[in-house]
Amino acid sequence: METSITINRTVLTVVRGDITTIAADVIVNAANTSLLGGGGVDGAIHRAGGPEILDACRRIRAKQGGCPVGEAVITTAGKLPASYVVHTVGPVWNGGDQDEEELLRDCYRSSLALAIQHGANSIAFPNISTGIYQFPKALAAEIALEAVAEYLCELPDETHAPKRILFVCHDAENEQIYRERLGDCL
Ligand code: AR6
């Protein structure tokens, strides 16, 4: 089942599944500042994509020393059906008074900017920070949808706009939250 809305020139869709199986131009990874892999979706992406992705992350790390929270870097997608992986680093939830909301918003904005620079027509996001980093799921969904919608609305007419953005929910709770939130926009 799909829930979709159109914002400006882009269709936003909620799906339930494993982001490593999605043949989007860009899939986004919820990485950490080391860029050296971890658990959750990061572990799944590196496992399924193979060592090429980690090699590319290591090269970026050698150049710029990892990736700060809220920023993003782009690599090959290795053996995945996607073309690129954008690795962004979400904030760890620490109660909400450490700029977590703005940093999460930055993750979506910097990932979109990088994906659009690479000409992506389709971009798939996981629910950044809502696993190991324990960001409250409803608040994270609100920020994700708002940040993406705002970004698309602000895109200049002459800029390439992605045709499709997927919010890939791995767990039932996130799926329900996203469907309700997106449904409210219909
Ligand atoms: N496809 C899509 N979503 C997934 C998948 C998958 N295969 N697996 C998990 N999720 P998390 P974080 C969902 O913990 O909270 C890593 O160790 C999951 O249900 O992956 O940003 C990194 O290296 C949750 O909703 O990322 C960092 O150290 C969402 O992905 C740290 O975890 C994010 O959960 C980042 O923590």
Side-chain angles (χ1 to χ4, degrees):
M1 188 184 70
E2 287 194 353
T3 311
S4 298
I5 61 165
T6 302
I7 297 200
N8 205 356
R9 291 165 281 162
T10 308
V11 180
L12 271 52
T13 302
V14 177
V15 294
R16 173 98 182 263
D18 174 357
I19 205 164
T20 65
T21 65
I22 297 207
D25 295 330
V26 165
I27 64 164
V28 177
N29 182 18
N32 60 61
T33 54
S34 80
L35 295 177
L36 294 178
V41 69
D42 195 10
I45 286 174
H46 282 284
R47 264 195 310 279
E52 249 192 284
I53 302 179
L54 189 58
D55 287 347
C57 285
R58 286 213 170 96
R59 284 195 293 276
I60 293 169
R61 204 177 132 81
K63 254 196 238 153
Q64 66 175 59
C67 180
V69 177
E71 296 187 19
V73 301
I74 190 163
T75 68
T76 171
K79 291 186 293 188
L80 296 175
S83 303
Y84 297 102
V85 177
V86 164
H87 307 258
T88 189
V89 182
V92 176
W93 180 259
N94 266 314
D97 56 5
Q98 309 213 9
D99 229 11
E100 292 97 328
E101 294 185 33
E102 206 43 46
L103 290 166
L104 185 60
R105 195 174 296 276
D106 289 345
C107 287
Y108 285 92
R109 298 182 70 87
S110 46
S111 298
L112 279 173
L114 208 44
I116 289 170
Q117 269 171 36
H118 284 76
N121 274 317
S122 51
I123 305 166
F125 280 101
N127 311 135
I128 301 164
S129 282
T130 67
I132 293 162
Y133 283 176
Q134 295 190 313
F135 206 105
K137 289 179 179 173
L139 181 58
E142 188 183 316
I143 290 168
L145 291 169
E146 250 181 43
V148 169
E150 270 172 30
Y151 194 92
L152 295 173
C153 288
E154 287 166 7
L155 269 184
D157 285 346
E158 63 279 10
T159 305
H160 167 78
K163 291 189 171 54
R164 196 163 156 82
I165 292 181
L166 297 175
F167 293 94
V168 182
C169 302
H170 198 245
D171 58 274
E173 193 186 351
N174 264 317
E175 183 192 17
Q176 194 190 348
I177 291 168
Y178 269 80
R179 287 198 194 288
E180 280 172 8
R181 286 252 160 228
L182 211 65
D184 289 346
C185 303
L186 292 173

